[in-house]
Amino acid sequence: MIGKAAGLRDDLNQIEAAFRGTPLAGLPIGHGPSGTILVADVDPDRLHEVWQAAEALVPVIGRRPVMVTDDFDDALTIRSEPEQGPSESQLRTFVEAAASSEPWLTYRHNSEDQQVDEDEIGFYARGTTGVDLTDLVPDVVLPTPVSVLERALYDRLLADADLHAEVLGNVRLVTQTGDEVWAAAGQLKALAPNLELSRWEVAVALPAGDAWFVHNRP
C-alpha cells in the first residue's frame, strides 16, 4: 500500500507507468482506504525487493510504501473509486479537539492503580537491576497504589548518592533527574506495558538516551 501525502498525484495511470520495469509492474492497483493507493498480490517471497522498488519511486510518485496484510481484515480491498473521506467540518472538529487535549492525563500504564501489599513490596523495590530499595520506604503505608510506591522509591533514590550510583551503574546510562523525567518514564511504560524495567528504573535511565525504540510486544 502506498501512503498518501497532501498535494501529491492520484493518477493511477501515472503510478502504473512509474511501476514499469520494476517488481511492481503488472500488479493490480487501485484505491485503498483513507486516500491510499493499494497494490495487491505481492509475492510474499519478494516483499523486500518490492519494498525497495516502491521506496526508490517516492521522488517520482510522491507516496511512501507501507506494507499491509489482509490476514486479519477481509475489508482490505481495491476500489475503483477513492473512498469518501471526512468532511471539512469533521476535520476542523478533530484538529480543535487534538489541539486542546492532553492524552497523558488518561493514557496510563494499566498497573498504576494496582494495590501493593506488604508481601509484594520487595518485588517493586528491587526492580530488575538487583538493587533493593525496600529500606528507603519503611514509612509508606500499605497497601498503596503502585504509582505512589514507585514515586516514593524514585524520590528517595535521588537523594541517596550511593544507591543512585549503583542503580545507574546497572542500567549503564548517565542521568539527571526530576518531575519531567518521571512523567516521561510513565509515558514510556504506558506505551510499552511489557517493558520490564520499573518506572523508577526507566526514569533513571531515560535522560541519557537520544533515541528510544518503543515496542509493545503481543
Side-chain angles (χ1 to χ4, degrees):
M1 183 166 67
I2 310 299
K4 184 174 193 248
L8 299 174
R9 297 193 301 267
D10 294 315
D11 191 338
L12 296 182
N13 291 331
Q14 291 181 349
I15 294 175
E16 284 183 309
F19 285 173
R20 290 173 191 156
T22 77
L24 293 155
L27 293 177
I29 181 174
H31 296 282
S34 303
T36 59
I37 298 299
L38 192 62
V39 181
D41 298 345
V42 175
D43 185 346
D45 295 328
R46 303 182 68 194
L47 287 179
H48 187 237
E49 182 183 1
V50 170
W51 173 274
Q52 288 180 312
E55 183 72 18
L57 289 172
V58 170
V60 178
I61 63 177
R63 291 171 177 265
R64 290 200 170 277
V66 179
M67 290 289 186
V68 295
T69 176
D70 60 0
D71 289 348
F72 309 103
D73 186 1
D74 295 335
L76 189 61
T77 57
I78 287 179
R79 299 177 175 88
S80 58
E81 297 294 332
E83 184 180 34
Q84 184 66 38
S87 66
E88 184 175 345
S89 62
Q90 289 174 318
L91 289 174
R92 189 182 306 113
T93 300
F94 175 80
V95 170
E96 291 172 355
S100 61
S101 68
E102 177 48 78
W104 299 115
L105 295 179
T106 56
Y107 190 53
R108 304 163 67 237
H109 190 271
N110 55 19
S111 72
E112 285 201 20
D113 295 324
Q114 292 179 8
Q115 296 290 307
V116 180
D117 294 319
E118 190 168 350
D119 59 349
E120 298 174 312
I121 191 169
F123 172 80
Y124 292 98
R126 279 191 297 271
T128 61
T129 63
V131 181
D132 192 345
L133 305 185
T134 306
D135 290 343
L136 295 183
V137 287
D139 57 337
V140 172
V141 179
L142 301 174
T144 191
V146 171
S147 57
V148 173
L149 174 63
E150 290 208 317
R151 183 60 198 248
L153 288 166
Y154 176 63
D155 287 341
R156 296 176 190 186
L157 173 65
L158 297 184
D160 189 314
D162 292 337
L163 274 178
H164 184 272
E166 189 175 354
V167 172
L168 183 57
N170 285 0
V171 295
R172 300 187 304 276
L173 292 172
V174 180
T175 184
Q176 61 187 38
T177 52
D179 289 339
E180 290 183 354
V181 74
W182 178 256
Q187 292 166 9
L188 275 178
K189 290 285 288 184
L191 287 170
N194 291 308
L195 185 63
E196 294 180 354
L197 293 175
S198 298
R199 183 174 179 180
W200 57 266
E201 292 174 300
V202 176
V204 170
L206 180 60
D210 56 9
W212 280 74
F213 173 73
V214 179
H215 180 196
N216 182 10
R217 299 191 305 274

